[in-house]
Amino acid sequence: MITVVGMGAAGAAPAGDVVAGAELVVGGRRHLEAVRLPEGAERVVLGALAPALDTVAEYVAKERPVVVLASGDPGFFGIVRVLAERFGAQRLDVRPGVSSVAAAFARAGLPWDDAVVASAHGRDLRTAVNLCRAHPKVAVLTGPGAGPAELGAALRTDPRVLVVASALGTGDERVERVTPVEAAGRDWGAAVSVVLCLDEARALGPVRSVAGPRPGPAGWALDETEFAHRDSMITKFEVRALVLARLGPRPGDLVWDVGAGSGSVAVECARLGAAVTAVEKTPDGVERVRANAAAHGVDVRVVHGAAPTALSGLDDPDAVFVGGGGRELPAIVAACARRARRAVVVAMAALDRVPAAREALLGAGLECDGVLLQSSRLAPLPGDVTRLAATNPVFLLWGVRPHSRTEGVSP
């Protein structure tokens, strides 16, 4: 067996008898210095992972006892995954400590059964940033180049508070509450382990029966009556269903809703877990989007301005929905298509605008397809009879970046 011992954020050392029987002890330098190694035991300081695993394999092959020391709960973004893949889960005896995330929330005095946890250690920071924008309570495990300063810089315009928990369980432990702007302006060093990103107005939600972030919505492509709108100027639910299918919003994504109108697409994307920026040029439309987002309990960032000019200062999106634009539509689609990482979906009522929008998608290197959607809904008539009431036809075009078709697909 390989015994994997988590040395908790509270600083507790593993039981002496666990290490006492080991012939090989593997761990970080600070973990190895915190325990008394048995006489004659080999010690491997974790640096490059591959050589350490090869040494473990030699001992396992000879059935000699191995102890691996790790931080907190080693099954939570930790070394258990690598060891199980290499040696099999049945060979592991995991003894977890207190994870840095649990310790950070404890220091902050907050429950965390409804938190989202993201790791930016050796990963793209933008996923963690988008989760922080979309959810009221997020813990981010930091890494070199993806610490509190970088996270704060990315969230500088978002109404969030950061709880920065540094060197948990050590004599140098610090827990500080700062704004994103304050975090961006400081040098945090290399000891940071976890940052809590909080929307304090929503951080203490109701008690739920299921742990984890809010589950996905029970329904989507909601009826138009679920949104405030002006003179039926709203993407109809039949159209919205296909728009959502082609956008594919998911946690960690950033979606733009350009020409948002009522914001129905923006709200639905946010309900599915994506971070959303809605761009709307009319003041009453801006307030309508905000009201609809609040009514559905989601966070949508609203930018008041006309596209394509209003897009220049925004972070690049994963997917974009363009629902308005008038004569500026080709320029708006071209601007969105150049910057979208995955897909752009365009809705149009006018046939004349289809060729230019399609050309803009193709010109940005996207693979383009489309459909004319025309539905008829059941409508009651006097005498307990029913007729079909036709909705206005809508052209949908979508462009997909070729490499994105295989993103997230296991080989």
Side-chain angles (χ1 to χ4, degrees), residues 226-229 261-263 267 284-298 300 302:
E226 297 289 330
F227 302 95
H229 53 85
S262 67
V267 168
D284 60 324
V286 166
E287 294 308 313
R288 201 172 291 112
V289 175
R290 289 176 175 155
N292 282 325
H296 288 274
V298 295
V300 173
V302 186

Side-chain angles (χ1 to χ4, degrees), residues 12 31 39 63 66 125 132 166 184 190 210 234 238 265 294 319 348 365:
H31 295 141
E39 186 175 347
E63 298 186 354
V66 176
L125 180 64
C132 288
S166 309
V210 179
I234 182 173
E238 303 96 322
V265 171
M348 297 159 286

Side-chain angles (χ1 to χ4, degrees), residues 60-109:
V60 169
K62 298 175 183 178
E63 298 186 354
R64 299 170 67 185
V66 176
V67 170
V68 177
L69 305 178
S71 296
D73 183 347
F76 188 74
F77 287 106
I79 199 168
V80 166
R81 183 182 303 277
V82 175
L83 292 173
E85 289 174 351
R86 176 76 180 264
F87 304 105
Q90 70 278 3
R91 286 188 178 272
L92 305 183
D93 176 10
V94 182
R95 307 189 183 191
V98 177
S99 71
S100 60
V101 172
F105 276 111
R107 304 294 195 270

